[in-house]
Structures are given as C-alpha cells and as structure tokens.
Amino acid sequence: MKGKEQSPIRLGEMPILKLLMEYSVPAIVASTAVSMYNIVDSIFIGRGVSPLAISGLAVTFPLMNLLVACCTLIAAGGATMSSIYLGQKEVKRANETLNTVFFLCLIHGVIFAGVSLIFLHPILEFFGATESIMPYAYDFMKIIVYGTPISYLYFGLNNLMRATGYPKKAMMSALFSVIANVILAPIFIFVLDWGIKGAAIATVISQTIALIWVLCHFFSKESYIRFRKGYKLVQTKLLPKLYGIGLSPFLMNVCSCIIVIILNKELLYYGGETGAINVGAYGIINRIAMLSVMIVFGITQGMQPILGYNYGAANWERVKQTLRYGLTLGCIITTVGWVLCECIPEKISMMFTTDVVMIDITSRGLRLSLLVWPLVGLQIVIQNFFQSIGMPRISIFLSLTRQMIFLVPLLLLFSHLWGTNGVWLSLSTSDFIASMLAICTLVVQMKRIGRTVSQTNR
C-alpha cells in the first residue's frame, strides 16, 4: 500500500492549510537553502578572492538567468501539467509528462551549453564585463556552463517530484545540493586555493549529487509517477501546453537577464571610478532580495500542485482558499525582508565584504531599491497563481510588467536624472506599479472565473 505522501488524491480532500504547510514547508526549506547557498557562496568569493570577484559574479547573472529560463520553460510547464493530469485522474498522461520533461531537459541543456561555450567571452563582454572583472566572470561561468545538462535534469525532475506528491523528497534533494556545496566551496576556495573556479566546481558537483537522488526516486517502483517501459520518450501532443505554461517563467528570467544587463551598464556608466564596485553592490543586493523572493517561491511551489489538482477537479472553493493563504503568507515574508534591509543594511553588507566603499553603496542601494518590498510578495503569488491554473497569458503579462514594461523606461529615465540613486529607485517604483496592476487583474479575473464556475455548476 502506498504511503500517504505518494497519493495525490488527498490534494482534493485534506484541509487546505494543512496541505499548504505540507507542500510549502519543504519547498520553502529547499528554496531558502538554495538562496542561502548563493549568499554564502558570494561571501566566500568576496572574502576569499576579492571584492572585484563579486562584481565578476554579478556580471554572470544575465547568463545564469538565461540558463534558468531555458530550464523553467520545461520544468514549470511539466510540473503544472502533471498536477492537472493527476487531478483529472489521468495517471498515464502524468507519466508521459515525466518522460517528456526528462528528454527535453537533456536536449535543452546540451544545446545551451554548446552555444554558450562557443560565445562565452563576447557574451560576458556584452553583459558588462570590464577588463578588471572579465577573468573572474569567465573562470566561473565556463565551469557552470559545462554542468548545464546536469543542472537542467536536476531542476526539471525535482520540480516534477514536488508536483506529483513528493514535497519532502524534493526538499531533501535541494538540501543535499546545498550541504555538499557549503562543504566543498570553502575547501576549494580557501584550502586548495582554486579561487572563483573552486566555487563553480563545488556547484556542479553538488548538483550532480542531488540529481542522483532524484533519478533514484523516479526509477523506484515505489514512486507513484516513475519511468516505465512502453512509454514514448517524447509525447509531442504535450509540447504546446508544456511550453505554453512554461513560457511565463521563461520570459520572466529572460527579462531578468535584459534588466541586469541594462542595470550593469548604467551602474558602470554613472558610477564613474567606482563603476565596477557598483556592479558588485548590485550583486549583493540581488542575493539579499532573492532570499525573501525564494521563500515566497517556496509558497507558490507548495500552492502549485494544490491549485492545479483542484482546478483540474473543478473545485473552485478550494482554489480560492489556497490563493488567500498564499497572498497572506507572501506579503508577510517580503515585509520581514523589507524591515531588515531598511533597519540594518550596513550589517547585511558587511557580511559580504570589508571594502568600505562597497559597504556604503550596497547599504544605500538596499534601502532605495526595496522601498515597497512588502507588495512584491503579493505580485509574485498572483503571477504564479495564474500559471498554476493553466492561464499562462495573464501570468506572462504580469511578469513582463514588473520585469520589463515598467522597469526599463523607469531605469533609463531615473538613472539619467539621479545617477546610481535613480537606478535603485527605478526598481522600487516599478515594483509598486506592477503590484497594483497585479492586484487589479486578480480582482477582475476572479469575478470572471467565478461567474463561469457558477454557470457550469447550474
């Protein structure tokens, strides 16, 4: 008899708050662990290599965002479709989704790695790598790119594991990766003196360990959804839906890539002699902001299978209840992050570097860029809500408003008016406008969907 965690039926029966805690807590632990790994990694690099090494790491963010974008195009769509199929009692289709996600992750990873390795130097140069920070950026990213197929398989299958009823196992795979990295990184950086290369090697090895764990799960006969004989390697009928749903997080990460490129160039231009330090400061701010964002993502990852299953089962009341809990928790999480960054920005900055100039720039940037951070929790939950119920167009639109439509013009205008302070202010202004629009969109769409459900149930 299968364990309770292995049966997706309870997604439509158990109390919502209990389910949300069961699914979200492991996802939060995993997401927070990954974010903490990024923070700790940056601390190791900043203190074990140099302040400019942090700037080199920051320059790689656009390429890292592209790497994640091509992976989430598959992983997010696969997770959502498998949850919906399980809600519709279509177990065979959920298994077909697993095979398709595995194959696509492998192919996407190989293609991304090949193209990136060929053009890595000019890509990093375009992203803002100056002569002083190029060696750090190139050494780090070259190793990360070699490990792209491993990263894609790990992230793609781990999302599917969580969505098909195994949140604790998904959490454990993330923890394995983080713990291995936290152990290996300081050894490679400080003991073996491999510098920033050591951080990258530790990352790839850690993800390999986590991937082995995930593969063992999907090959096990005890798993509800697993690799089975007789199924096609790729189910082509799934591709339009899979890519359609995954397009929202894909575009979000592509937009993040574009934004970081513009941010780096504006910070280099208006920062003058401290331009490279400004880029490093943004790298620190990005890591800190992503900590609370990743916790909210943990909430949305926990919501996703509950929303997908109950939406597929036409249980609208449970969908609305899940959303209410998610909005509340998302706002609380980003509010806590906002309070800390507004009250003790200097102490936060000092964790990463002893450079006085970088500490001062980072502290000011934290205060200005996160002015309306409590609203961002709402925006993230709303955007992922529409993705989870199979409405990718709205999710894409909302992601574009915060990441591109509002931010780019504000960034260019504010930096021209107020220099680097304008860069930081453009981030908080864009967050405010996008969050207000997301709330209005949610109110309108909930009324429309509610009317449709009422007519269907008559």
Side-chain angles (χ1 to χ4, degrees):
M1 185 175 179
K2 295 184 183 300
K4 192 174 182 181
E5 185 188 30
Q6 295 172 315
S7 174
I9 298 173
R10 72 196 195 290
L11 292 170
E13 299 175 350
M14 287 178 60
I16 293 296
L17 185 57
K18 185 175 181 180
L19 273 174
L20 190 57
M21 290 299 100
E22 179 183 339
Y23 275 77
S24 291
V25 170
I28 289 171
V29 171
S31 298
T32 305
V34 171
S35 186
M36 286 302 298
Y37 142 67
N38 288 330
I39 290 174
V40 171
D41 213 32
S42 296
I43 292 172
F44 287 151
I45 291 172
R47 290 182 170 270
V49 187
S50 75
L52 283 179
I54 296 182
S55 300
L57 185 64
V59 167
T60 68
F61 287 173
L63 189 53
M64 293 287 282
N65 284 330
L66 284 178
L67 187 154
V68 173
C70 293
C71 183
T72 54
L73 182 61
I74 310 157
T80 299
M81 289 309 301
S82 61
S83 295
I84 292 175
Y85 285 145
L86 289 175
Q88 296 170 343
K89 308 298 187 295
E90 295 280 359
V91 179
K92 181 180 179 181
R93 287 190 174 185
N95 273 292
E96 291 172 343
T97 303
L98 169 62
N99 286 1
T100 302
V101 167
F102 177 88
F103 180 76
L104 291 178
C105 282
L106 185 61
I107 296 301
H108 279 231
V110 172
I111 293 173
F112 186 94
V115 174
S116 298
L117 287 170
I118 293 172
F119 302 104
L120 186 56
H121 195 280
I123 287 173
L124 292 174
E125 195 172 49
F126 176 73
F127 287 167
T130 61
E131 185 177 346
S132 60
I133 59 182
M134 174 63 83
Y136 300 109
Y138 187 88
D139 286 349
F140 180 82
M141 206 62 216
K142 184 177 180 180
I143 295 169
I144 294 296
V145 168
Y146 272 121
T148 300
I150 293 172
S151 301
Y152 275 36
L153 287 172
Y154 161 56
F155 286 118
L157 295 179
N158 200 53
N159 272 274
L160 210 63
M161 181 191 294
R162 180 183 301 107
T164 54
Y166 299 87
K168 292 180 181 178
K169 280 193 171 183
M171 174 190 72
M172 291 304 299
S173 63
L175 287 177
F176 287 153
S177 175
V178 172
I179 293 171
N181 193 84
V182 170
I183 294 172
L184 294 175
I187 294 174
F188 293 167
I189 294 173
F190 296 104
V191 179
L192 299 180
D193 198 26
W194 289 353
I196 200 167
K197 289 182 180 179
I201 293 170
T203 297
V204 174
I205 293 175
S206 302
Q207 290 179 355
T208 303
I209 294 171
L211 174 60
I212 293 171
W213 165 266
V214 175
L215 288 175
C216 288
H217 164 79
F218 282 115
F219 277 109
S220 172
K221 292 182 179 180
E222 298 299 318
S223 301
Y224 192 81
I225 300 298
R226 62 181 183 272
F227 293 114
R228 302 173 189 262
K229 294 181 180 179
Y231 284 80
K232 290 182 179 180
L233 192 59
V234 177
Q235 186 60 252
T236 55
K237 292 181 180 180
L238 288 174
L239 298 186
K241 290 182 180 180
L242 191 147
Y243 281 120
I245 294 172
L247 191 59
S248 173
F250 170 79
L251 289 177
M252 183 177 68
N253 282 286
V254 170
C255 289
S256 295
C257 168
I258 297 171
I259 290 302
V260 173
I261 294 171
I262 299 173
L263 270 165
N264 285 343
K265 290 183 180 293
E266 294 296 287
L267 289 170
L268 284 168
Y269 181 78
Y270 289 102
E273 294 181 358
T274 60
I277 299 296
N278 275 272
V279 172
Y282 172 69
I284 295 174
I285 293 169
N286 181 274
R287 294 299 200 201
I288 296 300
M290 283 305 295
L291 176 58
S292 55
V293 167
M294 291 300 285
I295 297 174
V296 178
F297 277 157
I299 295 292
T300 62
Q301 287 173 1
M303 293 170 61
Q304 185 270 315
I306 305 171
L307 289 169
Y309 185 96
N310 286 286
Y311 188 77
N315 196 334
W316 183 238
E317 287 303 317
R318 289 177 66 82
V319 170
K320 290 193 294 183
Q321 191 178 359
T322 304
L323 175 62
R324 285 194 294 269
Y325 283 128
L327 289 171
T328 302
L329 292 171
C331 186
I332 291 172
I333 290 164
T334 48
T335 298
V336 171
W338 171 74
V339 169
L340 291 174
C341 290
E342 292 296 325
C343 294
I344 54 170
E346 292 84 5
K347 291 183 178 179
I348 293 174
S349 304
M350 290 170 63
M351 293 191 303
F352 294 85
T353 180
T354 57
D355 187 273
V356 177
V357 176
M358 182 172 280
I359 291 172
D360 179 65
I361 294 172
T362 305
S363 301
R364 186 171 67 254
L366 277 171
R367 282 200 172 102
L368 295 177
S369 63
L370 303 184
L371 281 174
V372 296
W373 202 239
L375 293 175
V376 173
L378 299 176
Q379 202 273 347
I380 294 171
V381 171
I382 294 170
Q383 174 196 319
N384 281 274
F385 165 73
F386 288 113
Q387 177 187 316
S388 297
I389 63 172
M391 300 178 70
R393 291 183 181 180
I394 296 177
S395 182
I396 291 169
F397 171 70
L398 294 178
S399 68
L400 288 175
T401 57
R402 179 170 176 253
Q403 298 282 347
M404 181 65 65
I405 296 174
F406 298 137
L407 182 53
V408 170
L410 288 171
L411 177 57
L412 296 175
L413 175 62
F414 285 11
S415 62
H416 177 72
L417 294 175
W418 301 305
T420 54
N421 285 338
V423 173
W424 311 131
L425 286 170
S426 67
L427 293 167
S428 54
T429 306
S430 173
D431 284 341
F432 175 77
I433 300 172
S435 297
M436 291 297 100
L437 181 59
I439 292 170
C440 293
T441 302
L442 178 65
V443 171
V444 172
Q445 290 298 322
M446 290 296 282
K447 290 180 178 179
R448 185 187 66 80
I449 298 172
R451 286 194 299 267
T452 302
V453 172
S454 297
Q455 292 172 0
T456 302
N457 292 336
R458 285 177 182 174

